[in-house]
Amino acid sequence: MKKSTLALAIGLLLVANNGFAKTQKMTLEQRLEQLEARLEAAENRAAKAENQVQQLQVQQAAEIQEIKVAQGNTPVNGTTPAQETKKNATTPNLVLSGYGDLKIYGDVEFNMDAESNKGVLAATNSNVGDPTNERWDLNGRILLGFDGMRKLDNGYFAGFSAQPLADMTGSVNLDDAAFFFGQENDWKVKVGRFEAYDMFPLNQDTFVEHSGHTANDLYDDGSGYIYMMKEGRGRSDSGGSFLMSKQLDNWYFELNTLLEDGTSLYQDSRYHGREMSQEKNVAYLRPVVAWTPVDALTISAAMESNVINNAYGYTDAQGNFVDQSDRNGYGMTMTWNGLKADPENGLVFNLNTAYLDADNEKDFTAAANALWKRFELGYIYAHNKIDEFNGLIDHDDNDWFYNEGTYDIHTIHASYLIPNVMDMQNFNIYLGAYYSMINSDNSNPENYTDDDDRYGARLRFKYFF
């Protein structure tokens, strides 16, 4: 009986064990089937994503090709055929030296001018060749700038600036070309072609000319001279500048040295009716001191002087060389810049004065101008006293200075800024105008003492990129 019971129990265990094994086996198969289904679904999703990427690449390539055709440019990065780039020794790339930052920028400035030398302002010029006729023309340029800068943790820096200019007449010139180094907010050295501190700011000077067809910074013999402390400022076409500056709290000190051919100051190398002959280069020293007691106010004083004797002059009837290069200038300016505290309603006001003591000539200039809510208005007064004059060659009625005497020039200028044209912050339009008059008390042989006036208007397009 005991044996039968034991045998029955063993049989039941064998049957149960066999059934459990079958149940476990079916569960593993189901799991494998599920894993296979998930893997297949993942492969389908990957294939779908790959197709979408390929479609996107094809679409982007088509868009780039469309841009290329529209612009007419060379292939942009990534679109040059692979068989073409394989010909190169290295992969095409733009690489910087890694020593500092490089900034590339541009400045577009084109003008439409209407101006009269004498008489009624008009948009036509009926008698070409008559210097008293009106002018109507287009002028301007595009500046492309490259600035490099490297700064160290201790505040030392070094950099350069190069600014080629292309104008609508087809010529290419240069604005600035300079190298500089120093310590931030402390001292600086600058060498090359550039302009030093502005001692005669004219504010928003869109269009400022003067009676007697006088250039602002170039002596035109036979015309009035508006002296503005610019003879030693720099950006010369016949020399270069070396500048040292120091910032000490709210004081700024600057000394610019300009070495150049001194006769380049005069149009046609003529001064007081004589042709100037160069003996050696001039050396202008131009120290400037500026004080800023508060953020909005700056008061500046400066002088400029040629320290080289007998740099240029003329030979008299006895064969003696007469030096004409002794020129000493002095100036002061005060600027209130309320835009620093209030960019919308701040007032900018300049008060300028300058005096030149030169051989046989004394010139005094004073000016005031103000800018408020994008409108600028200014006045310039110039007084020229000529002690000796030899007479002009090829004199005509458009020349005012051909004898000793005193001459006064009065100029009013105005401008208005139209900002953000077409909602572009880098696109502005300026409207400018001026009126200038000259009179004199000289007693020349022709008794030519009547007043003479000039006036003009300008539309300027200004675009930064």
Side-chain angles (χ1 to χ4, degrees):
M1 184 66 179
K2 291 181 179 179
K3 292 181 179 179
S4 299
T5 302
L6 180 60
L8 179 61
I10 293 173
L12 291 173
L13 288 173
L14 292 173
V15 172
N17 183 55
N18 186 36
F20 176 76
K22 291 181 178 180
T23 302
Q24 185 180 25
K25 183 177 179 181
M26 292 178 60
T27 303
L28 290 174
E29 290 176 353
Q30 291 175 352
R31 290 180 178 178
L32 290 174
E33 291 177 356
Q34 291 177 354
L35 290 175
E36 291 177 355
R38 292 177 182 175
L39 179 60
E40 184 177 357
E43 291 176 349
N44 292 335
R45 288 195 297 271
K48 183 178 180 180
E50 184 177 358
N51 291 334
Q52 292 177 346
V53 171
Q54 292 177 351
Q55 292 176 359
L56 181 60
Q57 290 176 342
V58 172
Q59 181 180 358
Q60 289 177 341
E63 292 175 352
I64 293 174
Q65 185 64 27
E66 183 179 355
I67 293 173
K68 286 166 48 183
V69 173
Q71 294 181 340
N73 292 336
T74 56
V76 297
N77 187 27
T79 63
T80 304
Q83 64 271 19
E84 186 66 25
T85 58
K86 287 181 179 178
K87 300 177 182 178
N88 299 341
T90 59
T91 303
N93 198 7
L94 175 63
V95 180
L96 301 179
S97 65
Y99 285 116
D101 299 327
L102 177 63
K103 178 183 177 182
I104 303 175
Y105 55 94
D107 179 358
V108 178
E109 185 177 285
F110 286 106
N111 307 311
M112 298 178 63
D113 293 349
E115 186 179 12
S116 72
N117 285 340
K118 186 179 180 180
V120 179
L121 183 67
T124 59
N125 191 347
S126 57
N127 294 317
V128 177
D130 186 346
T132 65
N133 280 336
E134 302 81 16
R135 290 174 48 200
W136 172 259
D137 60 356
L138 290 169
N139 58 81
R141 84 292 183 279
I142 297 178
L143 179 149
L144 185 60
F146 302 88
D147 289 354
M149 173 68 77
R150 184 185 186 187
K151 294 182 180 179
L152 302 182
D153 294 338
N154 55 11
Y156 290 121
F157 65 86
F160 71 90
S161 180
Q163 298 175 339
L165 292 170
D167 61 34
M168 65 170 54
T169 62
S171 62
V172 177
N173 299 302
L174 193 64
D175 208 20
D176 283 1
F179 172 70
F180 51 86
F181 58 93
Q183 188 169 13
E184 200 168 10
N185 300 321
D186 191 352
W187 61 272
K188 182 178 181 180
V189 173
K190 191 173 184 179
V191 59
R193 173 186 165 87
F194 56 87
E195 284 188 320
Y197 194 93
D198 188 1
M199 283 299 300
F200 213 93
L202 295 180
N203 225 323
Q204 192 171 270
D205 56 339
T206 302
F207 199 23
V208 183
E209 297 290 346
H210 306 282
S211 183
H213 53 79
T214 308
N216 290 345
D217 55 355
L218 184 67
Y219 188 98
D220 181 13
D221 211 18
S223 303
Y225 187 41
I226 317 297
Y227 178 66
M228 297 182 177
M229 285 287 297
K230 292 185 176 181
E231 291 188 6
R233 190 182 177 193
R235 196 176 282 170
S236 170
D237 292 335
S238 62
S241 297
F242 181 83
L243 182 146
M244 297 180 294
S245 63
K246 171 74 174 179
Q247 185 74 46
L248 187 62
D249 295 329
N250 55 354
W251 290 88
Y252 173 76
F253 303 91
E254 174 184 293
L255 175 61
N256 185 49
T257 302
L258 173 64
L259 306 177
E260 66 170 353
D261 175 4
T263 62
S264 64
L265 174 67
Y266 312 98
Q267 284 192 14
D268 301 323
S269 298
R270 296 188 179 277
Y271 178 57
H272 289 186
R274 301 182 178 92
E275 186 172 355
M276 296 295 100
S277 175
Q278 182 197 16
E279 297 293 321
K280 60 189 88 170
N281 278 352
V282 299
Y284 274 98
L285 297 183
R286 190 177 188 266
V288 178
V289 178
W291 178 48
T292 307
V294 295
D295 288 342
L297 177 63
T298 300
I299 301 173
S300 307
M303 71 168 294
E304 57 184 8
S305 175
N306 169 38
V307 297
I308 305 298
N309 293 326
N310 298 315
Y312 58 84
Y314 68 93
T315 302
D316 62 15
Q318 290 73 35
N320 300 318
F321 180 80
V322 181
D323 182 20
Q324 297 286 277
S325 61
D326 184 14
R327 303 180 73 83
N328 300 287
Y330 313 88
M332 290 191 65
T333 182
M334 184 195 73
T335 299
W336 176 269
N337 189 353
L339 293 176
K340 293 181 179 180
D342 188 353
E344 292 296 328
N345 300 307
L347 172 69
V348 180
F349 178 76
N350 290 303
L351 181 62
N352 314 316
T353 182
Y355 176 76
L356 174 67
D357 183 2
D359 287 308
N360 301 316
E361 181 174 349
K362 307 293 185 293
D363 300 326
F364 172 77
T365 311
N369 52 72
L371 171 67
W372 184 64
K373 286 187 176 295
R374 300 190 293 272
F375 177 75
E376 182 270 341
L377 180 65
Y379 168 73
I380 305 171
Y381 167 74
H383 178 79
N384 301 154
K385 184 176 184 298
I386 307 300
D387 297 328
E388 188 270 341
F389 210 93
N390 189 53
L392 284 177
I393 300 174
D394 299 329
H395 161 66
D396 59 45
D397 288 344
N398 204 38
D399 293 324
W400 269 87
F401 285 38
Y402 54 93
N403 205 346
E404 296 83 1
T406 59
Y407 303 79
D408 293 323
I409 304 172
H410 307 271
T411 303
I412 299 175
H413 57 94
S415 68
Y416 183 75
L417 165 65
I418 303 174
N420 305 334
V421 179
M422 301 187 300
D423 292 329
M424 296 183 183
Q425 294 184 357
N426 60 329
F427 182 21
N428 301 322
I429 291 179
Y430 291 84
L431 305 176
Y434 75 91
Y435 177 84
S436 184
M437 180 181 66
I438 185 172
N439 55 65
S440 67
D441 66 353
N442 66 325
S443 56
N444 56 67
E446 300 178 25
N447 196 28
Y448 186 41
T449 58
D450 294 335
D451 294 342
D452 185 36
D453 56 2
R454 293 184 64 193
Y455 39 89
R458 166 174 288 173
L459 173 66
R460 168 174 289 174
F461 301 96
K462 191 78 168 179
Y463 178 76
F464 300 97
F465 61 92

